Amino acid sequence: MSPRDASNAVGTLFLAEIERGYHAQKSLAERALDQLEPEDWHRVLDDGSNSVAVIVRHLAGNLRSRWRDFLTSDGEKADRQRDDEFEEGDHTVPSMLAEWEVGFSEVYGTLAGMTPADLNRTITIRGEELNVVRAMLRNLEHTSHHVGQIVMLAKHWRGDQWRTLSIPRKPKA
C-alpha cells in the first residue's frame, strides 16, 4: 500500500469513527431522555445548574452552528443565539427534540460529504483557526461532556425507576 493509499485509509477510518462516536452519544442521550417525565426536563439541582432542557437546547444549537457549512464558514454562526440556549423558557419536549434532530442532522450531513483530504484543511471557530481533525475532536468532546450531564440528571430524576443504559450491576448477595 502506498503512503497516499494508507493516508486515505486512515482518513476514511477516522471519519467513520467520528460518525460512530456521534451516533453513540446521540443514542446514549436519547435512551436517558426517553426515561424522563416532561416536568423532569425543566428541573434543576440548584440555582446555578442547568436543566436537561437547557443542555439539550445548548447542544443542539452548538451542533447546528458548528457543523453547518463546516468547511467554509466560521463555526459560530451569526444566527445562533447562544445565550438564549441557557434560558429556561417554556419549550416543549417535542420542540426541543426537533432542535436536537436538526443539530445532529447537520453533523451527519456534513460528515457524509467529507473526504480524507478534508482532514488536512483549516477551519475557523469564533475567529480561531483550527485544523479540521482538532475541531472535530473538540466538538465530539463537547458533545460527550453534555451527554454525560444529561445521563446523570436523568438518572438522578428517575431514582429507583432508572433503567440502566449499560451492563447492570450484579445484585448484592
Side-chain angles (χ1 to χ4, degrees), residues 5-22:
D5 289 342
S7 179
N8 281 338
V10 170
T12 299
L13 178 63
F14 178 80
L15 289 169
E17 285 301 311
I18 289 290
E19 183 174 357
R20 184 205 56 75
Y22 278 102

Side-chain angles (χ1 to χ4, degrees), residues 140-151:
L140 183 57
E141 291 164 0
H142 179 256
T143 299
S144 301
H145 168 78
H146 287 307
V147 167
Q149 291 176 320
I150 291 167
V151 170

Side-chain angles (χ1 to χ4, degrees), residues 159-170:
D160 291 342
Q161 297 172 6
W162 175 255
R163 293 179 314 276
T164 187
L165 304 178
S166 60
I167 300 168
R169 293 181 187 178
K170 291 181 181 178

Side-chain angles (χ1 to χ4, degrees), residues 8-99:
N8 281 338
V10 170
T12 299
L13 178 63
F14 178 80
L15 289 169
E17 285 301 311
I18 289 290
E19 183 174 357
R20 184 205 56 75
Y22 278 102
H23 280 290
Q25 290 302 309
K26 183 177 188 281
S27 174
L28 183 65
E30 289 173 352
R31 288 184 293 135
L33 294 171
D34 284 346
Q35 296 188 50
L36 293 175
E37 296 296 329
E39 62 274 10
D40 293 334
W41 284 67
H42 298 281
R43 294 171 69 183
V44 293
L45 292 173
D46 56 47
D47 289 339
S49 298
N50 291 319
S51 67
V52 169
V54 164
I55 296 166
V56 165
R57 292 193 67 243
H58 167 65
L59 189 52
N62 176 271
L63 293 174
R64 185 186 58 78
S65 185
R66 295 293 184 268
W67 288 91
R68 186 177 37 153
D69 304 322
F70 179 72
L71 296 171
T72 58
S73 69
D74 191 298
E76 188 64 18
K77 305 299 185 282
D79 67 345
R80 181 180 183 202
Q81 303 299 316
R82 183 181 181 278
D83 289 346
D84 291 350
E85 296 164 9
F86 293 94
E87 297 297 324
E88 270 304 319
D90 58 353
H91 308 284
T92 65
V93 171
S95 72
M96 290 182 283
L97 289 174
E99 289 181 57

Side-chain angles (χ1 to χ4, degrees), residues 86-156:
F86 293 94
E87 297 297 324
E88 270 304 319
D90 58 353
H91 308 284
T92 65
V93 171
S95 72
M96 290 182 283
L97 289 174
E99 289 181 57
W100 175 263
E101 288 301 328
V102 168
F104 277 97
S105 291
E106 290 290 348
V107 175
Y108 302 138
T110 297
L111 288 171
M114 291 184 72
T115 67
D118 291 325
L119 300 175
N120 295 314
R121 295 176 65 171
T122 299
I123 66 164
T124 306
I125 300 175
R126 293 184 168 181
E128 176 187 356
E129 289 190 349
L130 295 166
N131 70 62
V132 166
V133 170
R134 180 65 201 123
M136 293 169 96
L137 290 172
R138 186 170 92 168
N139 191 258
L140 183 57
E141 291 164 0
H142 179 256
T143 299
S144 301
H145 168 78
H146 287 307
V147 167
Q149 291 176 320
I150 291 167
V151 170
M152 188 278 302
L153 286 171
K155 184 176 181 181
H156 178 76

